[in-house]
C-alpha cells in the first residue's frame, strides 16, 4: 500500500509541479529565483518542525559535510532555473536534465575509477545521442525564430548557447553532488530526510545575493491578475496562487520519492522517476503546445530508451516472466 501511495505522490506531485512551473515561466521567464527560494523556505520549515524537532535533534552527519553538499545543491538549483532566461524551452530543459546518467557515469569513471558493462555504455550513448538530436533541433528553431537582422539572430543563438552551457554545468555539478552524497551515506549511513532538510535550510542565506531579483518578482507577482479564492473569499494575484501550487507539489513530489526509496529497490525508484519525466514532458508539449518536431520526438524516445536500458528494466521484466516457469521446472 505504501508503494502505491508513494508512486501516486510522485506522479501527481511532479506532473502538477511541471505544469505550475510552466505557467509561471510563461508569464515571467526570469522567475526561477523566487520559485527556488519559496521551495527552499517551505521544505526547510517543514524539516525544522518535523525532522529536527525545532532544532533539538542533532544531525547524524556532521554539518561541515552538509555545507559542502549544500553549496553544490544551491548552485545546481539556481543555475537550472536561471537557464530558462536564455531561450531554453521547457521540454528541452526536461530532456537535458534527463541526461544525469551521462554525467554520473563520466564522473564515476574519473573520480571513483568505476567500470561499467557494455550495456551501460550503450545506454549512455543512446541518451547522449537523444539529447544531441533535441539540442540541435532546438538550436535550429532558435535560428529560424530570430527575426530582424543577422546580428539579432546571432545574438538570440548565443543567448541560447549560454543557457545550454548552464544546463551542462548544472548536470555535471549535480552528478558530483550525488557522488559526494554516496560517500557520506557509506560512512555515516542513510539519512535522506535529514539531508533533505539541511540541503534546503543551509542555502537560505545565499538567497540574499538574489534578494533584488526576488523582490522585483514579488512586485510583479502582486501586480498580476487577481482571482477569487473560493474557500477564503478573498482575491489573490494569480501568480501567487501558481507559486503556492508549485511549492506544495514540489514538496509532494520529493516526499513521494523519499517514501519510494524506503519501500522499493533503487531500480524501481529510477523507473518510476523516468516514467514520470516522460509523462510530464508529453503533457507539457500537448497542453502548452510547445514546438516539438518529429526529430524532437525521436530524440526523446532515444533518451528514454537509453534510460530504461541503463536501469536494466528489460532483464528484470524477463526474469519476472521466467520466474513461474523456472519454479515449475524445479518442482518437477
Amino acid at each position: 500500500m505504501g508503494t502505491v501511495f508513494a508512486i501516486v505522490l510522485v506522479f501527481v506531485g511532479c506532473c502538477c509541479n511541471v505544469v505550475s512551473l510552466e505557467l509561471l515561466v510563461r508569464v515571467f521567464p526570469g522567475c526561477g529565483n523566487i520559485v527556488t527560494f519559496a521551495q527552499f523556505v517551505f521544505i526547510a520549515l517543514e524539516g525544522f518542525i518535523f525532522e529536527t524537532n525545532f532544532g533539538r535533534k542533532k544531525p547524524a552527519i556532521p554539518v561541515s559535510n552538509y555545507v559542502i553538499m549544500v553549496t553544490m545543491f544551491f548552485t545546481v538549483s539556481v543555475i537550472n532555473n536561471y537557464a530558462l532566461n536564455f531561450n531554453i524551452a521547457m521540454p528541452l530543459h526536461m530532456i537535458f536534465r534527463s541526461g544525469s546518467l551521462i554525467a554520473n557515469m563520466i564522473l564515476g569513471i574519473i573520480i571513483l575509477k568505476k567500470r561499467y558493462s557494455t550495456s551501460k555504455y550503450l545506454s549512455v550513448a543512446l541518451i547522449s545521442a537523444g539529447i544531441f538530436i533535441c539540442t540541435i533541433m532546438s538550436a535550429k528553431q532558435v535560428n529560424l525564430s530570430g527575426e530582424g537582422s543577422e546580428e539579432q539572430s546571432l545574438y538570440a543563438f548565443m543567448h541560447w548557447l549560454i543557457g545550454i552551457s548552464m544546463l551542462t554545468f548544472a548536470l555535471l555539478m549535480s552528478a558530483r553532488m550525488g557522488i559526494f552524497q554516496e560517500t557520506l551515506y557509506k560512512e555515516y549511513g542513510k539519512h535522506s530526510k535529514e539531508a533533505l532538510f539541511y540541503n534546503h535550510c543551509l542555502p537560505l542565506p545565499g538567497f540574499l545575493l538574489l534578494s533584488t531579483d526576488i523582490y522585483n518578482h514579488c512586485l510583479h507577482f502582486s501586480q498580476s491578475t487577481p482571482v477569487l479564492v473560493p474557500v477564503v473569499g478573498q482575491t489573490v494575484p494569480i501568480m501567487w496562487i501558481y507559486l503556492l501550487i508549485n511549492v506544495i507539489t514540489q514538496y509532494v513530489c520529493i516526499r513521494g520519492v523519499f517514501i519510494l526509496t524506503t519501500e522499493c529497490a533503487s531500480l524501481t525508484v529510477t523507473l518510476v522517476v523516468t516514467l514520470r519525466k516522460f509523462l510530464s514532458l508529453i503533457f507539457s508539449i500537448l497542453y502548452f503546445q510547445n514546438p516539438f518536431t518529429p526529430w524532437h520526438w525521436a530524440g526523446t524516445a532515444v533518451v528514454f530508451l537509453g534510460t530504461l536500458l541503463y536501469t536494466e528494466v528489460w532483464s528484470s521484466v524477463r526474469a519476472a516472466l521466467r520466474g513461474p516457469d523456472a519454479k515449475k521446472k524445479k518442482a518437477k
Side-chain angles (χ1 to χ4, degrees), residues 225-277:
T225 305
V227 293
L228 181 66
V229 181
V231 179
V232 181
Q234 298 290 326
T235 56
V236 179
I238 187 92
M239 295 301 287
W240 286 113
I241 295 177
Y242 289 157
L243 182 62
L244 178 62
I245 294 171
N246 180 269
V247 168
I248 293 173
T249 53
Q250 174 75 358
Y251 173 74
V252 170
C253 180
I254 290 176
R255 287 291 294 138
V257 173
F258 171 75
I259 295 172
L260 206 60
T261 55
T262 61
E263 296 279 343
C264 306
S266 59
L267 174 63
T268 307
V269 177
T270 305
L271 177 59
V272 170
V273 172
T274 300
L275 291 175
R276 190 276 304 169
K277 287 180 181 178

Side-chain angles (χ1 to χ4, degrees), residues 267-293:
L267 174 63
T268 307
V269 177
T270 305
L271 177 59
V272 170
V273 172
T274 300
L275 291 175
R276 190 276 304 169
K277 287 180 181 178
F278 186 67
L279 288 177
S280 298
L281 177 65
I282 292 175
F283 187 85
S284 173
I285 294 162
L286 297 178
Y287 184 80
F288 292 102
Q289 297 181 342
N290 283 306
F292 221 66
T293 66

